[in-house]
Coordinates of all heavy atoms in Angstrom, one line a residue:
V363 N 98.7 145.3 70.3 CA 99.6 146.1 71.2 C 98.7 147.1 72.0 O 98.9 147.3 73.2 CB 100.6 146.9 70.4 CG1 101.5 147.6 71.3 CG2 101.4 145.8 69.6
S364 N 97.7 147.7 71.3 CA 96.9 148.7 72.0 C 96.0 148.1 73.1 O 95.5 148.9 73.9 CB 95.9 149.4 71.0 OG 94.8 148.5 70.6
Q365 N 95.9 146.8 73.1 CA 95.1 146.2 74.2 C 95.9 146.1 75.5 O 95.4 145.8 76.6 CB 94.7 144.8 73.8 CG 93.7 144.7 72.6 CD 92.3 145.1 73.0 OE1 91.9 145.0 74.1 NE2 91.6 145.6 72.0
V366 N 97.2 146.3 75.4 CA 98.1 146.2 76.7 C 98.8 147.5 77.0 O 99.1 147.7 78.2 CB 99.0 145.0 76.5 CG1 98.3 143.7 76.5 CG2 99.9 145.1 75.3
I367 N 99.2 148.3 76.1 CA 99.9 149.6 76.4 C 99.4 150.7 75.4 O 98.8 150.4 74.3 CB 101.4 149.4 76.2 CG1 101.8 149.1 74.8 CG2 102.0 148.5 77.3 CD1 103.3 149.2 74.6
P368 N 99.7 151.9 75.7 CA 99.3 153.0 74.8 C 100.2 152.9 73.5 O 101.4 152.6 73.6 CB 99.7 154.3 75.5 CG 99.8 153.9 76.9 CD 100.2 152.5 76.9
V369 N 99.6 153.1 72.3 CA 100.3 152.9 71.1 C 99.7 153.9 70.1 O 98.5 154.2 70.1 CB 100.3 151.5 70.5 CG1 98.8 151.1 70.2 CG2 101.1 151.4 69.2
I370 N 100.6 154.5 69.2 CA 100.1 155.3 68.1 C 100.6 154.7 66.8 O 101.6 154.2 66.7 CB 100.6 156.8 68.2 CG1 102.1 156.9 68.3 CG2 99.9 157.5 69.3 CD1 102.6 158.3 68.0
Q371 N 99.6 154.8 65.8 CA 100.0 154.4 64.4 C 99.3 155.4 63.5 O 98.3 155.1 62.8 CB 99.5 153.0 64.1 CG 100.1 152.6 62.7 CD 99.5 151.3 62.3 OE1 98.3 151.1 62.3 NE2 100.3 150.3 61.8
P372 N 99.7 156.7 63.5 CA 99.1 157.6 62.5 C 99.6 157.3 61.1 O 100.4 156.4 60.9 CB 99.7 159.0 63.0 CG 101.0 158.6 63.7 CD 100.8 157.2 64.3
H373 N 98.9 157.9 60.1 CA 99.3 157.7 58.7 C 100.0 158.9 58.2 O 99.6 160.1 58.6 CB 98.0 157.5 57.9 CG 97.5 156.0 57.9 ND1 97.1 155.5 59.1 CD2 97.5 155.1 57.0 CE1 96.7 154.2 58.8 NE2 97.0 153.9 57.6
I374 N 101.0 158.7 57.4 CA 101.8 159.8 56.9 C 101.7 159.7 55.3 O 101.7 158.7 54.7 CB 103.2 159.7 57.3 CG1 104.1 160.9 56.9 CG2 103.9 158.4 56.7 CD1 105.4 161.0 57.7
A375 N 101.5 160.9 54.7 CA 101.2 161.0 53.3 C 102.4 160.6 52.5 O 103.6 161.1 52.7 CB 100.7 162.4 52.9
I376 N 102.3 159.7 51.5 CA 103.4 159.4 50.5 C 103.0 159.7 49.1 O 103.8 159.4 48.2 CB 103.8 157.9 50.7 CG1 102.7 157.0 50.3 CG2 104.2 157.7 52.2 CD1 103.2 155.5 50.2
T377 N 101.8 160.3 48.9 CA 101.4 160.8 47.5 C 100.8 162.2 47.6 O 100.5 162.6 48.7 CB 100.4 159.8 46.9 OG1 99.1 160.0 47.6 CG2 100.8 158.4 47.0
D378 N 100.7 162.8 46.5 CA 100.0 164.1 46.5 C 98.6 164.0 46.0 O 97.8 165.0 46.0 CB 100.8 165.0 45.5 CG 102.2 165.4 46.1 OD1 102.2 165.7 47.2 OD2 103.1 165.5 45.3
V379 N 98.2 162.8 45.6 CA 96.8 162.6 45.1 C 96.3 161.3 45.8 O 97.0 160.4 46.2 CB 96.8 162.4 43.6 CG1 97.2 163.7 42.9 CG2 97.7 161.3 43.1
P380 N 95.0 161.2 45.9 CA 94.4 160.0 46.5 C 94.7 158.8 45.6 O 94.6 158.8 44.4 CB 92.9 160.2 46.5 CG 92.8 161.7 46.3 CD 94.0 162.2 45.5
V381 N 95.2 157.7 46.2 CA 95.3 156.4 45.6 C 94.8 155.3 46.5 O 94.9 155.5 47.7 CB 96.8 156.1 45.2 CG1 97.3 157.1 44.2 CG2 97.7 156.0 46.4
P382 N 94.3 154.2 46.0 CA 93.8 153.1 46.9 C 94.9 152.4 47.5 O 96.0 152.2 46.9 CB 93.0 152.3 45.9 CG 93.6 152.5 44.6 CD 94.0 154.0 44.5
G383 N 94.7 151.9 48.7 CA 95.6 151.0 49.3 C 95.7 149.7 48.6 O 94.8 149.3 47.9
H384 N 96.8 149.0 48.9 CA 96.9 147.6 48.3 C 96.8 147.6 46.8 O 96.0 146.9 46.2 CB 96.0 146.6 48.9 CG 96.3 146.3 50.4 ND1 95.8 145.2 51.0 CD2 97.0 147.0 51.3 CE1 96.3 145.2 52.3 NE2 97.0 146.3 52.4
S385 N 97.4 148.6 46.1 CA 97.3 148.8 44.7 C 98.6 149.0 44.0 O 99.6 149.3 44.7 CB 96.4 150.0 44.4 OG 97.0 151.2 44.8
E386 N 98.7 148.9 42.7 CA 99.9 149.2 42.0 C 100.3 150.7 42.2 O 101.5 151.0 42.3 CB 99.7 148.9 40.5 CG 99.7 147.4 40.1 CD 101.0 146.7 40.3 OE1 102.0 147.4 40.4 OE2 101.0 145.5 40.2
E387 N 99.3 151.5 42.3 CA 99.6 153.0 42.5 C 100.3 153.2 43.9 O 101.2 154.0 44.0 CB 98.3 153.8 42.4 CG 97.7 153.8 41.0 CD 96.8 152.7 40.8 OE1 96.7 151.7 41.6 OE2 96.0 152.7 39.7
M388 N 99.8 152.5 44.9 CA 100.4 152.6 46.2 C 101.8 152.0 46.2 O 102.7 152.5 46.9 CB 99.5 152.0 47.3 CG 100.0 152.1 48.7 SD 100.1 153.9 49.2 CE 98.5 154.2 49.7
K389 N 102.0 150.9 45.5 CA 103.2 150.3 45.3 C 104.3 151.3 44.8 O 105.4 151.4 45.2 CB 103.1 149.0 44.5 CG 104.5 148.3 44.2 CD 104.2 147.1 43.3 CE 105.5 146.5 42.9 NZ 105.3 145.3 42.0
A390 N 103.9 151.9 43.7 CA 104.7 153.0 43.1 C 105.0 154.1 44.0 O 106.2 154.6 44.1 CB 104.1 153.5 41.8
A391 N 104.0 154.5 44.8 CA 104.2 155.6 45.8 C 105.2 155.3 46.8 O 106.0 156.1 47.3 CB 102.9 156.0 46.4
A392 N 105.3 154.0 47.2 CA 106.2 153.5 48.2 C 107.6 153.6 47.9 O 108.5 153.3 48.7 CB 105.8 152.1 48.6
C393 N 107.9 153.9 46.6 CA 109.3 154.0 46.2 C 109.5 155.4 45.4 O 110.5 155.6 44.7 CB 109.7 152.9 45.2 SG 111.5 152.5 45.2
S394 N 108.5 156.2 45.6 CA 108.6 157.6 45.0 C 109.4 158.5 45.8 O 109.8 158.3 47.0 CB 107.2 158.1 44.8 OG 106.6 158.4 46.1
E395 N 109.7 159.7 45.2 CA 110.5 160.7 45.9 C 109.7 161.1 47.2 O 110.3 161.3 48.3 CB 110.7 161.9 45.0 CG 111.5 163.0 45.7 CD 111.8 164.2 44.8 OE1 111.5 164.1 43.6 OE2 112.3 165.2 45.3
K396 N 108.4 161.4 47.1 CA 107.6 161.7 48.3 C 107.6 160.6 49.3 O 107.7 160.9 50.5 CB 106.2 162.2 47.9 CG 105.4 162.8 49.0 CD 104.0 163.2 48.5 CE 103.2 163.8 49.7 NZ 103.8 165.1 50.2
G397 N 107.4 159.4 48.8 CA 107.4 158.3 49.7 C 108.7 158.2 50.5 O 108.7 157.9 51.7

Side-chain angles (χ1 to χ4, degrees):
V363 181
S364 78
Q365 296 284 335
V366 292
I367 62 168
V369 60
I370 55 169
Q371 189 193 46
H373 279 65
I374 191 166
I376 65 170
T377 70
D378 291 320
V379 295
V381 298
H384 291 200
S385 66
E386 287 289 347
E387 293 86 351
M388 184 62 80
K389 176 182 173 181
C393 205
S394 67
E395 182 179 350
K396 186 176 181 69

